[in-house]
């Protein structure tokens, strides 16, 4: 899962133009020797005149390609007849959508687009994806076995938020919630108890006072949408938008209370002033920080700074309601793909235990979708104590709100949150303004 800080999202193109491309891409004639294959699954296969390498497009950079190539090599041990090619596209999800739409409109459709929560509804609503229902029906026992091994919420959320109709456009993959990684050595020195279920907000302030007395910060408070804003909201029984993603909740009493709590940590000196550039895991390794919050990437980070044995994972601090934002990957096949059957064969491999284990065993930054893998040594073997919380929190998690104009809404929420935690505005006044700005975008 590639979760990015989009607080400075830039729009080098108009949203109208992007949606025009997405909406019309499937209707444009293809050029360059490719033929549209909108018929039955498997209409084009490897070896046909129109088929070629299966192109797998992902949001990321070239540094991720080596890992994908290793994955492809494992797949080719079983299917040497299918050639795979990974293509990286960078930027925000809006920019990613624009780049893929442009590629499709230009007659070079990718076959599989790995799409996180933020882009799933946008893509499926624009007619550029192939329904997967016939593929699923043809491999019903295989798919059912996969669904039986993943959390039911992943399947339900993917269908609810990723499908504008009765069709199925995505197979859900790995996910990322937010938990807290705690420095047990520093907390013990400060005389702070760390509850198995994480701190209550009252306990958090008490812990902050004791840690501050040791010349350290308790935790960080920043304004990244998924990483920093939504954890406070979801652990107070709310989110930025309602469940249908049609109404802002940013001026709700729960949101205001969450903003006030986050600001209090900064005001009391229990968290560094927002902004600036620092690395929380490194601060924790130096004994300057008692805890940081993250998704599965936190496992990689504590290992990077040699803190695995001195770290314990608990739920994010809560105000009587446990929660977490969560985003997840999903796999699809584009409507114009000339390699639909080969693309499905690779998606089946991604669903397999072997495919799911690959990212866990190579230090992946997402929680494997398969519970059997996520709870095995492949994922938890070298992880800090309590890392199972990354799996357990899915029971109470809330999907990252991702309406069509999600990047714009995200930017508005981040700006408002930063004003509050920096002390430039009180939460009630600022979040009423934030709410009013979001309304017209929904």
């Amino acid at each position: 899962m590639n979760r990015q800080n989009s607080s400075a999202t830039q729009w080098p193109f108009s949203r109208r133009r992007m949606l025009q491309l997405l909406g019309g891409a499937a209707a444009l004639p293809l050029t360059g020797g490719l033929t549209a294959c909108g018929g039955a699954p498997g209409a084009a296969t490897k070896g046909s005149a129109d088929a070629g390498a299966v192109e797998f497009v992902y949001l990321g950079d070239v540094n991720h390609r080596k890992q994908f190539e290793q994955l492809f090599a494992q797949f080719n041990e079983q299917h040497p007849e299918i050639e795979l090619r990974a293509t990286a596209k960078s930027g925000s999800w809006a920019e990613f959508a624009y780049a893929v739409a442009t590629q499709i409109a230009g007659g070079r459709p990718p076959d599989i687009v790995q799409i996180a929560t933020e882009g799933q509804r946008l893509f499926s609503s624009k007619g550029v994806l192939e329904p997967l229902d016939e593929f699923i029906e043809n491999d019903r026992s295989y798919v059912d076995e996969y669904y039986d091994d993943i959390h039911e919420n992943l399947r339900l959320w993917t269908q609810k938020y990723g499908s504008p109709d009765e069709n199925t456009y995505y197979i859900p993959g790995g996910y990322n919630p937010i938990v807290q990684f705690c420095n047990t050595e520093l907390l013990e020195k400060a005389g702070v108890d760390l509850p198995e279920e994480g701190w209550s907000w009252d306990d958090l302030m008490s812990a902050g006072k004791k840690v501050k007395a040791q010349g350290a910060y308790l935790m960080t408070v920043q304004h990244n949408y998924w990483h920093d804003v939504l954890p406070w909201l979801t652990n107070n029984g709310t989110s930025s938008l309602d469940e249908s993603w049609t109404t802002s909740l940013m001026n709700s009493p729960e949101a205001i209370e969450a903003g006030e709590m986050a600001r209090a940590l900064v005001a009391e000196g229990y968290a560094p002033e927002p902004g600036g550039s620092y690395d929380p895991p490194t601060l924790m390794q130096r004994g300057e920080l008692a805890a940081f919050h993250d998704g599965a990437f936190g496992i990689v980070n504590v290992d990077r700074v040699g803190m695995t044995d001195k770290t314990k994972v608990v739920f994010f601090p809560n105000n009587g309601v446990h929660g977490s934002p969560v985003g997840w990957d999903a796999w699809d096949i584009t409507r114009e793909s000339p390699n639909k059957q080969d693309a499905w064969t690779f998606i089946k491999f991604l669903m397999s235990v072997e495919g799911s284990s690959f990212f866990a065993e190579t230090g992946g930054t997402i929680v494997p979708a398969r519970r059997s893998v996520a709870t095995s040594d492949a994922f938890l073997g070298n992880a800090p104590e309590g890392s199972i919380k990354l799996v357990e929190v899915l029971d109470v998690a809330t999907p990252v709100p991702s309406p069509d104009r999600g990047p714009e809404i995200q930017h508005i929420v981040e700006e408002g949150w930063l004003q509050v935690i920096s002390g430039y505005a009180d939460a009630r006044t600022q979040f009423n303004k934030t709410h009013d700005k979001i309304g017209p975008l929904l």
Side-chain angles (χ1 to χ4, degrees):
M1 168 64 60
N2 185 352
R3 309 232 70 84
Q4 300 185 38
N5 186 337
S6 302
S7 60
T9 299
Q10 300 295 318
W11 291 75
F13 51 88
S14 72
R15 179 180 177 276
R16 180 184 299 275
R17 177 59 177 150
M18 181 188 75
L19 295 185
Q20 285 174 341
L21 283 168
L22 280 171
L28 290 174
L30 299 183
T31 60
L34 295 175
T35 302
C37 298
T45 60
K46 181 73 171 176
S48 71
D50 296 324
V54 173
E55 184 179 14
F56 181 91
V57 175
Y58 64 95
L59 176 64
D61 55 37
V62 295
N63 293 324
H64 296 95
R65 187 176 295 153
K66 290 183 179 179
Q67 193 174 45
F68 280 118
E69 288 173 349
Q70 293 172 8
L71 178 67
F72 294 170
Q74 283 196 15
F75 170 76
N76 284 141
E77 291 177 4
Q78 300 177 20
H79 294 280
E81 77 282 3
I82 298 177
E83 181 184 355
L84 296 166
R85 180 175 71 249
T87 299
K89 295 185 184 297
S90 60
S92 67
W93 278 106
E95 292 163 338
F96 179 78
Y98 173 77
V100 173
T102 301
Q103 182 175 337
I104 293 172
R108 299 177 295 105
D111 300 286
I112 301 172
V113 184
Q114 185 178 31
I115 303 176
T117 315
E118 292 90 335
Q120 288 168 23
R121 190 162 87 171
L122 178 63
F123 270 83
S124 62
S125 66
K126 299 306 171 183
V128 298
L129 300 181
E130 177 76 10
L132 300 180
D133 303 272
E134 190 170 344
F135 291 103
I136 292 171
E137 193 57 39
N138 290 340
D139 283 299
R140 173 57 62 185
S141 60
Y142 190 96
V143 176
D144 284 348
E145 187 276 330
Y146 176 69
Y147 283 157
D148 286 344
D149 198 23
I150 71 173
H151 200 291
E152 178 72 358
N153 283 344
L154 287 177
R155 186 183 66 81
L156 294 176
W157 290 334
T158 303
Q159 190 68 23
K160 176 178 180 178
Y161 295 114
S163 179
D165 49 40
E166 296 301 316
N167 293 314
T168 300
Y169 293 96
Y170 299 105
I171 297 293
Y175 59 93
N176 244 329
I178 287 289
V179 294
Q180 197 164 46
F181 294 79
C182 301
N183 183 339
T184 56
E185 189 174 64
L186 176 57
L187 291 173
E188 182 178 352
K189 182 180 178 181
V192 175
D193 294 328
L194 181 61
E196 286 290 333
E197 300 302 299
W199 286 302
S200 69
W201 285 5
D202 288 340
D203 290 339
L204 189 69
M205 295 302 288
S206 175
K209 184 176 182 179
K210 293 178 180 179
V211 170
K212 183 180 179 181
Q214 298 294 320
Y217 291 113
L218 177 65
M219 61 184 294
T220 60
V221 174
Q222 289 290 347
H223 64 290
N224 176 275
Y225 186 60
W226 164 74
H227 189 272
D228 298 296
V229 180
L230 292 177
W232 286 108
L233 299 179
T234 55
N235 279 280
N236 200 33
T238 191
S239 186
S240 56
L241 303 180
D242 69 352
E243 188 177 353
S244 64
W245 300 349
T246 57
T247 303
S248 166
L249 299 177
M250 282 305 298
N251 67 342
S252 67
E254 293 83 3
I256 292 168
E257 188 178 29
E260 290 172 343
M261 179 61 194
R263 170 57 193 165
L265 287 171
V266 178
E268 294 293 334
Y270 303 157
E273 288 291 333
S277 178
Y278 54 86
D279 180 47
T282 298
L283 292 181
M284 196 166 83
Q285 190 273 334
R286 294 174 181 169
E288 299 173 17
L289 185 69
F292 70 89
H293 48 281
D294 208 342
F297 205 87
I299 296 176
V300 178
N301 271 326
V302 294
D303 178 67
R304 170 173 60 87
V305 297
M307 287 287 291
T308 298
D309 293 338
K310 299 178 181 179
T311 299
K312 184 173 182 178
V313 178
V314 297
F315 292 131
F316 191 88
N318 74 91
N319 194 30
V321 180
H322 281 297
S324 171
V326 63
W328 62 94
D329 289 334
W331 307 305
D332 55 73
I333 300 174
T334 64
R335 187 178 293 276
E336 305 300 334
S337 165
N339 301 293
K340 289 187 175 67
Q341 187 59 54
D342 288 351
W344 174 249
T345 299
F346 182 60
I347 289 175
K348 284 176 60 180
F349 175 75
L350 292 173
M351 286 190 280
S352 69
V353 172
E354 181 181 1
S356 186
S357 298
F358 175 83
F359 292 104
E361 293 169 349
T362 56
T365 57
I366 57 174
V367 183
R370 281 184 174 269
R371 185 175 181 86
S372 62
V373 176
T375 58
S376 72
D377 283 346
F379 182 64
L380 298 177
N382 296 312
E385 178 186 356
S387 291
I388 189 66
K389 292 289 191 294
L390 284 160
V391 179
E392 296 173 347
V393 76
L394 205 58
D395 290 338
V396 295
T398 300
V400 177
S402 304
D404 288 353
R405 301 185 72 171
E408 295 164 90
I409 293 170
Q410 174 177 320
H411 186 58
I412 291 169
V413 171
E414 289 178 338
E415 283 188 326
W417 190 264
L418 181 59
Q419 290 293 309
V420 171
I421 62 175
S422 299
Y424 297 134
D426 69 272
R428 184 176 303 277
T429 301
Q430 179 59 54
F431 289 169
N432 276 321
K433 293 179 181 178
T434 299
H435 173 83
D436 290 343
K437 289 180 181 180
I438 290 174
L441 301 179
L442 295 170

